[in-house]
Amino acid sequence: MSETSDLRRLLDGAALFEGVPARAKDRLAQAARRLRYAAGAPMFRRGDPGEGMILVLDGLVRLHLATAAGREMTLGLVGRGEPIGEITLIDGGPRSADATAITPVAALLLRHADVRPLIAEEPELALALLQTFAARLRRTTDQVEAVGLLPLQQRLAAALLRLSAVDPSGLVRQPQGQIAALVAASRPKVNQALTEFRARGLIEPVRAGLRLTDPAGLRDLAEQG
């Protein structure tokens, strides 16, 4: 199988491109470039030139903002089949947030210069991007609501479920400091909540991280409303 054919197959598997004509996906596959990032590696920083949209093929990415004083706010987590930086396909502007690989990440880059002419020619592709923008806005609203209104234990349960879902062994391998940043809480408060989860039989520590011993219980906690 040629590289272009393999890239076309990957695009076919992304929900973003459902309904996009085959001819458009063929051209996208010809323009796509593979990217790989190690766990913890910055993918881009706020203000960096917006080269194009990144489509995550495998792994988990954290979108976040940071102040000069070091305070951070998580805007969302992006996983397999989801895009990052899709706005740059339209305006070619700078990155509006930071993106950091939480796990090893495999992705595709679709450059603004290559895709912008195709958007003008293919209304189905333009519609797919508009739907993606709308979904991103909804997720960002949900994240802001969670940070401002939901209790820490509920946010933490949801984060643990998401992190374990992308690990081949179903473990949460991230250090507590990183988990604290994901749920917008201090490390001592996260440590206290994890201790309570352990006492309730929801999680247990193992050498490589945390194992979710009661995923259903965590899911019930995360979905409380």
Side-chain angles (χ1 to χ4, degrees):
M1 181 181 292
S2 69
E3 173 69 359
T4 300
S5 297
D6 189 40
L7 293 176
R8 168 60 195 276
R9 177 183 60 81
L10 293 172
L11 293 176
D12 283 338
L16 166 62
F17 297 113
E18 289 181 4
V20 174
R23 61 182 180 274
K25 285 190 280 191
D26 286 340
R27 291 175 61 183
L28 289 171
Q30 292 170 4
R33 180 163 64 88
R34 291 182 185 268
L35 300 173
R36 289 192 177 275
Y37 300 92
M43 297 174 64
F44 53 76
R45 293 294 184 230
R46 185 179 188 181
D48 286 352
E51 188 177 4
M53 182 182 79
I54 297 174
L55 179 66
V56 177
L57 301 177
D58 195 29
L60 193 65
V61 179
R62 176 182 172 231
L63 299 178
H64 54 106
L65 296 172
T67 68
R71 296 187 61 186
E72 291 192 357
M73 184 177 92
T74 297
L75 299 176
L77 298 176
V78 179
R80 179 181 298 177
E82 297 180 306
I84 305 170
E86 58 273 19
I87 293 176
T88 63
L89 288 184
I90 303 298
D91 65 6
R95 300 298 188 187
S96 58
D98 297 347
T100 302
I102 294 179
T103 66
V105 169
L108 295 179
L109 173 66
L110 295 168
R111 296 175 60 250
H112 166 78
D114 296 322
V115 178
R116 179 65 185 273
L118 190 55
I119 294 173
E121 299 170 17
E122 299 288 353
E124 292 90 347
L125 178 58
L127 178 60
L129 289 172
L130 285 173
Q131 291 171 334
T132 300
F133 299 156
R136 175 79 67 203
L137 180 59
R138 291 180 186 277
R139 287 197 297 271
T140 301
T141 300
D142 290 343
Q143 176 67 18
V144 172
E145 177 188 34
V147 171
L149 301 177
L150 300 183
L152 171 58
Q153 288 199 350
Q154 192 170 346
R155 304 198 308 269
L156 181 58
L160 295 178
L161 289 166
R162 186 72 189 270
L163 292 171
S164 69
V166 298
D167 184 81
S169 301
L171 299 179
V172 176
R173 302 177 186 270
Q174 287 70 28
Q176 283 191 21
Q178 192 172 95
I179 296 173
L182 287 176
V183 298
S186 68
R187 184 171 176 177
K189 288 185 178 179
V190 168
N191 182 61
Q192 180 181 359
L194 290 173
T195 299
E196 294 173 5
F197 282 6
R198 182 182 180 185
R200 294 167 60 180
L202 298 173
I203 63 172
E204 66 176 4
V206 295
R207 177 172 296 184
L210 295 174
R211 175 180 291 118
L212 308 190
T213 50
D214 186 3
L218 284 168
R219 195 168 295 109
D220 288 343
L221 180 57
E223 294 174 355
Q224 285 179 356

